[in-house]
Amino acid sequence: MKLISTENLKPGMFLSEDILNENGVVYLNMGTEIKERHIHLLINLGVSFVYVQSETEDHEPFNNFLKDRDYSREFKHTLESFKSLYTNVRLGKKIVIDEVKDSLEPLVSGILNNNDILGSLRRIEINDEYTFKHSINVSLLSSMIGKWLGYSPKDLMDLSLASLLHDLGKCKIPTEILNKPSKLNAVEYEAIKEHSALGFQILSESGQLSQDALHGVLSHHERMDGSGYPNGIEGYKIHEYARIIGIADMFDAMTSNRVYKSKISPFLVAEEMLRESYSHIDVNITSLFLNNISQFYVGNVVRLNTGDIGEVVLVSKYNMTRPLIKVESKYFDLSKHYEYEIVEVIR
């Protein structure tokens, strides 16, 4: 590893550290292969020096991370373990949390060492029931938030497990309600709202989760203004695990295809979450989460509401939901032109 001035950076070099701002927001991840656009970005941000891999180091950018194929395998392993647990709970059988925890640990370890969680999740091609894949996604997103908050390894695994099991109570909800392709009526909605308390009860009786994890499961639908459920808790009386899980749950749900609703562009979701943070979700955790994940979209190919296909070239920390887009030789600054919207992240 060696320190080099930003002006002396060359395409093909690899970063040996995360590039962060004073608030801990990640601009570029350790292991990133430098391209021309990254050099321009760093100069524009006022970053004078960075650490890069020396010529004697292994230049494979993620040599100590899970490869895509290994990550996919670990994801599928966790998926199968969770499905087995879910089925056993549905059938009233005894559950063993350790089996799921053991499968989750390498997956969480891999994702924590690779900040580009959204890229990793997009590369997982699994056609399975929404509940199962969603639960793992929420676990990994929550883990990243915990990492950015400075959680210890022990607390991170505790949070990861609570996040994975946050919807376990849905196994006791009739499948015709869970899979209904249209809007729920009032009675059905009340039935769905029981899942957090049911999950809490099941996991409490198992005696295999910490009290912190149990509170994460029970309260992930509580809201800062007291409008949530099951107990109408408000503000910072809501356990931090639950506030984290609620944010990860909202982001993954809105950016995923569900039986009753198609996914939404993550940029539009981010705007909705910012609005929600004024009353419903923790504003500090929301800002930390969105500031960090927004940087992962630099270099992504997106579709605008005009039908144009372009590349995200810059995400401003002052307006992270409205990036600068390059379409062929033209630039569209969405922070100044609100008639344009990103409707899809293509890759």
Side-chain angles (χ1 to χ4, degrees):
M1 183 171 68
K2 62 181 180 180
L3 187 64
I4 186 172
S5 73
T6 306
E7 292 181 350
N8 290 330
L9 280 174
K10 292 181 174 55
M13 291 180 171
F14 292 95
L15 289 177
S16 289
E17 63 174 358
D18 290 340
I19 306 297
L20 308 94
N21 72 0
E22 65 275 10
N23 297 317
V25 175
V26 178
Y27 285 131
L28 291 173
N29 309 307
M30 179 177 69
T32 297
E33 180 180 355
I34 294 296
K35 301 185 185 305
E36 285 288 351
R37 66 173 182 271
H38 298 138
I39 298 172
H40 295 310
L41 172 65
L42 292 170
I43 291 173
N44 289 335
L45 291 171
V47 177
S48 302
F49 295 91
V50 297
Y51 281 100
V52 297
Q53 291 182 6
S54 66
E55 293 179 359
T56 58
E57 290 180 280
D58 183 352
H59 283 200
E60 193 171 344
F62 300 115
N63 52 32
N64 62 332
F65 301 161
L66 285 174
K67 309 300 182 187
D68 281 353
R69 64 181 181 277
D70 297 329
Y71 185 82
S72 182
R73 184 178 66 244
E74 295 294 349
F75 194 101
K76 291 175 182 177
H77 182 204
T78 303
L79 185 74
E80 292 305 316
S81 296
F82 179 58
K83 285 173 71 173
S84 176
L85 175 70
Y86 192 93
T87 300
N88 285 339
V89 173
R90 180 185 288 164
L91 297 176
K93 295 182 179 181
K94 182 179 179 180
I95 58 174
V96 181
I97 303 295
D98 283 346
E99 292 179 6
V100 172
K101 183 178 179 181
D102 289 345
S103 72
L104 184 62
E105 283 180 344
L107 187 61
V108 170
S109 177
I111 204 76
L112 291 177
N113 285 322
N114 177 0
N115 275 322
D116 187 6
I117 182 173
L118 300 180
S120 298
L121 293 181
R122 279 200 304 273
R123 288 191 290 271
I124 297 297
E125 296 181 1
I126 295 177
N127 293 319
D128 213 304
E129 286 186 47
Y130 167 78
T131 296
F132 300 130
K133 190 170 185 293
H134 169 69
S135 294
I136 300 177
N137 288 352
V138 171
S139 177
L140 298 178
L141 289 166
S142 296
S143 299
M144 287 303 297
I145 295 173
K147 174 189 173 181
W148 294 327
L149 287 170
Y151 275 28
S152 68
K154 179 179 179 296
D155 289 340
L156 274 175
M157 273 311 304
D158 201 36
L159 171 64
S160 301
L161 193 57
S163 309
L164 178 68
L165 301 172
H166 77 285
D167 274 347
L168 185 64
K170 285 185 176 179
C171 70
K172 297 297 185 180
I173 307 297
T175 55
E176 60 269 22
I177 294 179
L178 288 177
N179 299 325
K180 185 178 179 181
S182 56
K183 186 176 180 179
L184 300 176
N185 61 39
V187 174
E188 293 165 336
Y189 181 59
E190 289 301 315
I192 281 284
K193 286 168 62 177
E194 293 293 325
H195 78 272
S196 52
L198 288 170
F200 173 79
Q201 180 183 351
I202 292 163
L203 293 165
S204 294
E205 291 173 354
S206 78
Q208 299 174 62
L209 253 63
S210 71
Q211 285 300 309
D212 288 330
L214 289 172
H215 281 295
V217 172
L218 176 65
S219 302
H220 68 275
H221 280 291
E222 299 288 1
R223 294 295 178 255
M224 299 296 282
D225 62 356
S227 63
Y229 62 85
N231 296 315
I233 304 172
E234 64 182 52
Y236 293 98
K237 295 177 183 178
I238 304 169
H239 195 284
E240 187 169 83
Y241 279 16
R243 286 181 272 132
I244 292 171
I245 295 169
I247 288 166
D249 180 40
M250 180 181 295
F251 181 83
D252 187 68
M254 294 176 73
T255 56
S256 301
N257 286 317
R258 291 167 282 174
V259 291
Y260 57 90
K261 197 170 186 179
S262 297
K263 65 181 180 181
I264 304 172
S265 155
F267 289 92
L268 297 178
V269 170
E271 290 183 350
E272 175 62 24
M273 290 180 71
L274 285 174
R275 287 191 290 270
E276 289 283 313
S277 70
Y278 287 110
S279 57
H280 289 167
I281 55 180
D282 187 311
V283 62
N284 295 318
I285 297 176
T286 300
S287 296
L288 176 73
F289 174 62
L290 295 179
N291 271 313
N292 274 292
I293 64 164
S294 65
Q295 304 307 316
F296 301 149
Y297 287 108
V298 174
N300 281 175
V301 177
V302 298
R303 188 190 314 278
L304 301 179
N305 57 341
T306 58
D308 291 307
I309 306 296
E311 178 186 354
V312 179
V313 295
L314 180 66
V315 179
S316 169
K317 63 181 178 180
Y318 302 109
N319 200 341
M320 56 197 163
T321 67
R322 310 287 302 177
L324 180 67
I325 309 294
K326 182 180 180 182
V327 179
E328 297 179 345
S329 60
K330 296 181 180 179
Y331 288 86
F332 294 80
D333 186 347
L334 272 59
S335 68
K336 297 178 180 177
H337 297 281
Y338 275 76
E339 67 271 25
Y340 298 116
E341 289 183 343
I342 297 172
V343 296
E344 181 184 6
V345 176
I346 298 174
R347 62 179 182 275

